[in-house]
Amino acid sequence: EISRCDWSSDVCSSDLAIRFFQEKWGNTDSNPVYDDCLKHSLESNKKIPQWYLIVDEGKIIAGCGLISNDFISRMDLYPWLCALYVEEKFRNQGLAGLLIEAVKEDCRTFDIDKLYLATDFADFYEHFDFHYLADGYHPWGEKSRIYEGNIN
């Protein structure tokens, strides 16, 4: 089952969600970004950002976010699927697809017709109706592939 993070969720409100994203995507310098972002996201009543988790037996096994920009040069594109991660033991079971579909469903609810993501992967997101759009550039000097996905 996919849970959207909010304060009514024991998993989200217990800092487990913050630690999950920090462990998968953060480092000593960037961990405060995840802490601050998720805490303020949970307190906000805005449509974006949103965070999504899949929990199995009380442990987070997969997650992702829906955010306004993924630290990338294309500020004209909005919104962004970010931080998609499935624990290795649970891969190839369709969990990434479930998370992506939950994000797309929220986008439909929010009247958003396109979704973007930045990645180094090729030949993965195409399975979920995304296509390569362009390269984008991060503030720390790296380049990523930008994909665009149709919501409808």
Side-chain angles (χ1 to χ4, degrees), residues 111-134:
D111 290 324
I112 296 169
D113 61 352
K114 300 284 184 192
L115 179 63
Y116 301 91
L117 63 90
T119 186
D120 296 329
F121 290 142
D123 302 322
F124 178 74
Y125 290 100
E126 291 85 349
H127 300 287
F128 307 102
D129 198 25
F130 283 85
H131 64 272
Y132 172 77
L133 181 66

Side-chain angles (χ1 to χ4, degrees), residues 16-28 30-31 34 38 51-54 59-65 82-91 99 121:
L16 290 176
I18 293 168
R19 277 198 307 274
F20 174 81
F21 288 108
Q22 286 175 329
E23 288 170 3
K24 306 315 174 201
W25 298 106
N27 60 43
T28 304
S30 67
N31 279 345
Y34 289 97
L38 270 87
W51 296 91
Y52 307 81
L53 299 172
I54 298 177
K59 183 176 180 344
I60 299 170
I61 60 169
C64 70
C82 75
L84 176 65
Y85 189 87
V86 177
E87 292 287 1
E88 196 167 335
K89 171 178 157 181
F90 295 94
R91 292 182 184 167
L99 286 166
F121 290 142

Side-chain angles (χ1 to χ4, degrees), residues 20-79:
F20 174 81
F21 288 108
Q22 286 175 329
E23 288 170 3
K24 306 315 174 201
W25 298 106
N27 60 43
T28 304
D29 293 330
S30 67
N31 279 345
V33 172
Y34 289 97
D35 183 74
D36 195 48
C37 178
L38 270 87
K39 284 181 179 173
H40 285 93
S41 297
L42 295 173
E43 296 169 357
S44 174
N45 61 357
K46 296 185 178 169
K47 295 176 185 176
I48 294 174
Q50 297 289 333
W51 296 91
Y52 307 81
L53 299 172
I54 298 177
V55 179
D56 181 60
E57 297 181 5
K59 183 176 180 344
I60 299 170
I61 60 169
C64 70
L66 175 63
I67 60 175
S68 58
N69 186 276
D70 200 7
F71 303 105
I72 198 149
S73 56
R74 293 296 304 271
M75 300 287 179
D76 58 312
L77 305 176
Y78 168 90

